[in-house]
Amino acid sequence: MKTQNILVGLSLLLLSSCSDFLDKTPLVQTSVQTYYSTDDEANTSIIGIYSIMQNESFQLAPFMIIGDDCSDDSDLGNSNSEAFSWLGSVAQSLQKFDNLPTNWVSNALWAQAFRGISAATQAIESITANSEHLSPAKKDQFLGEAYFLRAFNYFFLTRQYGRMPIIDHVLTYDEYYTPRASIEETWEFMVQDLKQAIELLPKKSEYQAADLGRATQGAAYAMLGKVYIYQGKFQEAYEALKEVVNSGEYGLEPNYADVFTLEHENGIESLFEIQHGISGTGWADDNEGSILSFYEHDADPDDPVKWHNGWSMHCLTADLVNSYEDGDPRLNATVIFPGEFFDGRINENKASSTGYQPKKWYIPYAQRSQVDQSDCPKNIIFYRYADVLLYMAEAANELGKTTEALDFLEQVRSRARLNATQENVLPRITETEKSKLRDLIWHERRVELAGEGQRFWDLARQGRLGKVMKAYSQKYNSIKGQNFVEGKSELLPIPEDQVTLSNGALEQNPGY
């Protein structure tokens, strides 16, 4: 089993990486005064920040256990899954919203994200202090990446835990635990970092092929729009996201299912992906592969071949399956049905608690590592152009720009319609009443982005997490949503050890 090390404090240690632009060894604990005498040294430090996001500890809760399994879209596996024996009860407590500040699954993000924030802040100070040693173009790019990645890590922390301490300089030991800022100050800090990144980063088309996957100006605009959406600032979100739409840098893949293949990683639809590749470094948090695919693959107790199997902890629900319109081809691109012939075999889905398995993070047998399934060569898509279009539809609708909202919505539905094998599916939406159109846009987000770790966070920001999950609990007699408390359960508790180590400087979230 992969080791689970919960780190404390704001470590400046950086992880190594070995895939395309990540094929560098980060510098470790070099002082600000002597950092980065060359472009290569600065580049290596930036790569170290990216590599932190590859960790299971960074990804497991936000993308899978909380992001989907604590929503109405997916569930944990059954007892046929090896992982259920050690992860099941811990994850189920989150599903019930019996959230404890000692839960290692929800706590793991804290240390990893603050490592990223610390490393990005170190890079910003060091690059600035040693700018005369760097070429101007590379200096700007590296600074832009550091600002983007600091905001990226802050975003993950803020949507999970709420307001955060602001780290805008390299901390001394005595400053490690500073009080939390207000939620408004926390969001504004991200906004300013992303505006800095926009001014400094190259466009996607300006990168060489080997550097695809690095932060871009378009990704920074898109992230800025996302930050505004989460605050309900729809005019600002509209303006930021319109820059992405007008850039000409992005579009929709013609075939929806292609978005999730290895061959189309970092493609035209990609705004930002966490990069992964096979490294052969074993079952540990510092390998380069994505273990999320292994969590997703079915655990077949009758299959003796280890690399065929997974942990089946991301089982899509009947509620999600039934939410698709008739003939929507995105359903078959998202779900492996029991008895379906897929990837050269009949899939029995024996470890699925719902009968369904997901396809989006699935890796075909021929492309898997046949040695180490924690080392999966599958990028994790965080942000893609369809998401931008749906945010644009949402923002335009809230601003009374109904025609535009319908057009952005239609772009997403049109792609799916063109993929359909049946006629007269996914009709063009013509609803103009704001609240009804809002519901339709939210539904489109659900089916377009299903299984991508978005559902929980969408429901929380939309203010309907409790309503939806309580209804789910009652409808399916499920533990999920059972103990949701309005005004408390939308956020996770700050890790107890961090509150203790801070000597009270970190205030716990309400109700915990």
Side-chain angles (χ1 to χ4, degrees):
M1 184 184 300
K2 201 170 187 184
T3 56
Q4 305 289 342
N5 295 320
I6 306 304
L7 306 179
V8 297
L10 304 179
S11 172
L12 295 179
L13 296 177
L14 305 178
L15 299 178
S16 65
S17 192
C18 67
S19 175
D20 292 333
F21 77 85
L22 294 179
D23 190 14
K24 300 285 183 182
T25 303
L27 300 175
V28 178
Q29 294 182 321
T30 310
S31 69
V32 175
Q33 289 73 27
T34 60
Y35 241 161
Y36 319 153
S37 60
T38 67
D39 287 351
D40 283 344
E41 287 183 356
N43 184 44
T44 300
S45 72
I46 298 299
I47 290 164
I49 311 171
Y50 284 104
S51 72
I52 293 170
M53 300 184 301
Q54 294 176 323
N55 292 349
E56 176 186 7
S57 304
F58 186 92
Q59 297 179 9
L60 180 59
F63 282 99
M64 186 174 289
I65 302 300
I66 298 174
D68 275 340
D69 287 348
C70 287
S71 79
D72 52 348
D73 273 7
S74 74
D75 209 340
L76 307 172
N78 60 35
S79 59
N80 283 328
S81 167
E82 176 191 344
F84 191 84
S85 64
W86 55 269
L87 178 59
S89 62
V90 180
Q92 284 178 331
S93 70
L94 295 171
Q95 292 182 315
K96 288 188 289 186
F97 292 92
D98 287 343
N99 302 327
L100 296 174
T102 53
N103 188 301
W104 65 262
V105 173
S106 59
N107 286 359
L109 175 69
W110 181 276
Q112 294 297 329
F114 269 118
R115 291 178 71 201
I117 289 167
S118 299
T121 303
Q122 174 79 76
I124 290 166
E125 289 199 7
S126 300
I127 291 169
T128 302
N130 297 279
S131 59
E132 71 274 12
H133 301 301
L134 308 176
S135 62
K138 286 298 184 183
K139 179 203 72 173
D140 287 350
Q141 176 194 319
F142 297 150
L143 274 176
E145 288 178 280
Y147 280 117
F148 174 88
L149 293 169
R150 186 165 70 179
F152 183 88
N153 280 277
Y154 260 113
F155 176 80
F156 270 68
L157 286 168
T158 302
R159 72 176 182 178
Q160 183 161 320
Y161 302 111
R163 57 196 181 91
M164 283 289 118
I166 300 299
I167 299 175
D168 59 0
H169 63 281
V170 175
L171 301 180
T172 65
Y173 180 81
D174 291 339
E175 294 177 305
Y176 267 17
Y177 293 98
T178 57
R180 300 167 72 185
S182 69
I183 190 63
E184 294 81 11
E185 290 169 331
T186 306
W187 286 120
E188 182 59 24
F189 187 65
M190 281 180 260
V191 166
Q192 294 307 315
D193 269 4
L194 290 167
K195 287 182 175 179
Q196 288 270 27
I198 286 166
E199 294 299 316
L200 295 165
L201 284 170
K203 296 178 181 179
K204 185 176 181 179
S205 60
E206 293 172 340
Y207 276 120
Q208 298 296 315
D211 284 327
L212 287 179
R214 301 185 83 126
T216 65
Q217 185 183 78
Y221 269 121
M223 195 69 201
L224 180 60
K226 195 177 188 80
V227 165
Y228 282 135
I229 286 283
Y230 269 71
Q231 297 176 80
K233 294 184 175 181
F234 293 107
Q235 182 62 48
E236 293 90 339
Y238 176 88
E239 292 170 1
L241 295 168
K242 198 66 179 288
E243 294 288 342
V244 181
V245 172
N246 290 341
S247 70
E249 296 273 315
Y250 306 94
L252 298 175
E253 292 281 0
N255 184 2
Y256 177 79
D258 284 348
V259 175
F260 313 103
T261 63
L262 298 186
E263 293 78 11
H264 288 79
E265 288 182 339
N266 303 313
I268 189 172
E269 192 161 338
S270 173
L271 268 297
F272 192 71
E273 304 178 12
I274 298 177
Q275 306 294 301
H276 286 288
I278 295 174
S279 63
T281 51
W283 282 72
D285 221 11
D286 60 352
N287 68 22
E288 308 313 318
S290 168
I291 196 173
L292 291 196
S293 292
F294 188 75
Y295 274 100
E296 180 158 299
H297 296 155
D298 188 33
D300 185 346
D302 299 319
D303 188 339
V305 182
K306 176 70 175 178
W307 62 271
H308 284 184
N309 271 316
W311 278 339
S312 192
M313 298 301 279
H314 193 207
C315 307
L316 303 180
T317 63
D319 196 76
L320 171 64
V321 170
N322 293 333
S323 72
Y324 284 83
E325 296 168 64
D326 289 343
D328 189 338
R330 293 173 293 188
L331 176 60
N332 287 330
T334 302
V335 180
I336 303 173
F337 289 85
E340 177 181 349
F341 185 82
F342 174 69
D343 194 22
R345 70 181 185 125
I346 299 294
N347 287 263
E348 302 294 346
N349 299 348
K350 293 180 180 178
S352 174
S353 60
T354 66
Y356 305 107
Q357 290 288 140
K359 277 183 181 170
K360 288 184 176 177
W361 292 337
Y362 183 96
I363 301 176
Y365 287 163
Q367 295 176 320
R368 296 184 192 182
S369 166
Q370 298 184 22
V371 177
D372 181 356
Q373 285 302 291
S374 75
D375 210 8
C376 297
K378 183 86 165 184
N379 290 354
I380 301 301
I381 300 172
F382 172 71
Y383 211 160
R384 56 188 179 89
Y385 190 61
D387 198 356
V388 169
L389 293 174
L390 291 171
Y391 278 146
M392 283 295 288
E394 186 172 344
N397 181 54
E398 298 301 329
L399 296 171
K401 300 176 184 289
T402 309
T403 301
E404 285 191 56
L406 290 170
D407 178 65
F408 291 123
L409 182 59
E410 171 59 17
Q411 289 183 54
V412 175
R413 288 175 66 81
S414 175
R415 189 257 300 269
R417 188 185 307 124
L418 291 170
N419 289 173
T421 57
Q422 303 176 33
E423 295 183 357
N424 303 317
V425 300
L426 298 171
R428 189 182 186 110
I429 290 174
T430 58
E431 179 61 62
T432 58
E433 198 280 317
K434 181 182 284 189
S435 64
K436 292 179 180 178
L437 181 53
R438 180 189 300 127
D439 287 341
L440 289 168
I441 293 167
W442 285 350
H443 175 266
E444 198 68 26
R445 287 189 62 80
R446 185 183 191 188
V447 296
E448 172 69 25
L449 304 169
E452 297 178 47
Q454 298 251 27
R455 180 64 171 170
F456 177 96
W457 310 113
D458 267 353
L459 291 173
R461 73 168 178 86
Q462 292 160 1
R464 58 195 187 115
L465 179 60
K467 178 181 178 180
V468 169
M469 293 314 300
K470 286 178 181 178
Y472 184 93
S473 179
Q474 292 175 0
K475 182 176 181 179
Y476 297 100
N477 192 28
S478 170
I479 65 168
K480 296 175 68 172
Q482 211 172 59
N483 299 323
F484 187 94
V485 177
E486 299 285 349
K488 169 190 173 183
S489 302
E490 294 84 357
L491 296 176
L492 278 294
I494 303 296
E496 184 176 85
D497 58 354
Q498 300 300 301
V499 175
T500 301
L501 287 168
S502 75
N503 292 319
L506 290 176
E507 181 185 353
Q508 186 55 273
N509 280 329
Y512 291 108

